[in-house]
Amino acid sequence: TAWLTPNPLTVLALSLWTHSAWTMIGHHVSHGGYNRTDDSGRYSSRGFAQGSLWRRAVDWFDWMLPEAWKIEHNQLHHYRLGEDADPDLLERNAAVWEGSERY
């Protein structure tokens, strides 16, 4: 299939799945949203993407460690929403775009 033109629908579907898996599963699990609903522990905040390289690659295929994300997002971001110390403050992070052409 390497010589075939990529199917835009397939690309869109794979992209949507990857984004959904990250935002809906990874985000909610890291917040502990499934801690009481998952008896296996796979989707608990203490077991997700931990224990082996395989689990890490399957659950959380990202450059940032899940433990680092928990600290940065749960502690640094959520406890400082909208403040200057918030690492995700849009006004500060988007300042580098000022004067650039927007599409």
Side-chain angles (χ1 to χ4, degrees), residues 66-85:
E67 297 86 353
W69 186 88
K70 288 176 189 175
I71 291 171
E72 191 276 333
H73 184 77
N74 294 351
Q75 295 174 7
L76 299 178
H77 170 62
H78 277 288
Y79 287 104
R80 295 170 175 88
L81 284 173
E83 298 175 1
D84 288 334

Side-chain angles (χ1 to χ4, degrees), residues 3-74:
W3 60 88
L4 297 176
T5 305
N7 181 346
L9 184 60
T10 303
V11 172
L12 180 66
L14 287 171
S15 175
L16 182 62
W17 165 252
T18 303
H19 179 72
S20 298
W22 168 252
T23 57
M24 299 308 292
I25 297 171
H27 183 262
H28 295 342
V29 168
S30 295
H31 273 298
Y34 301 129
N35 283 354
R36 295 184 182 173
T37 61
D38 179 35
D39 294 333
S40 72
R42 179 174 175 206
Y43 293 106
S44 75
S45 60
R46 291 180 182 89
F48 186 71
Q50 297 175 13
S52 70
L53 180 60
W54 171 255
R55 245 337 352 121
R56 166 93 155 87
V58 170
D59 289 345
W60 188 284
F61 194 62
D62 195 70
W63 62 272
M64 189 176 201
L65 291 172
E67 297 86 353
W69 186 88
K70 288 176 189 175
I71 291 171
E72 191 276 333
H73 184 77
N74 294 351

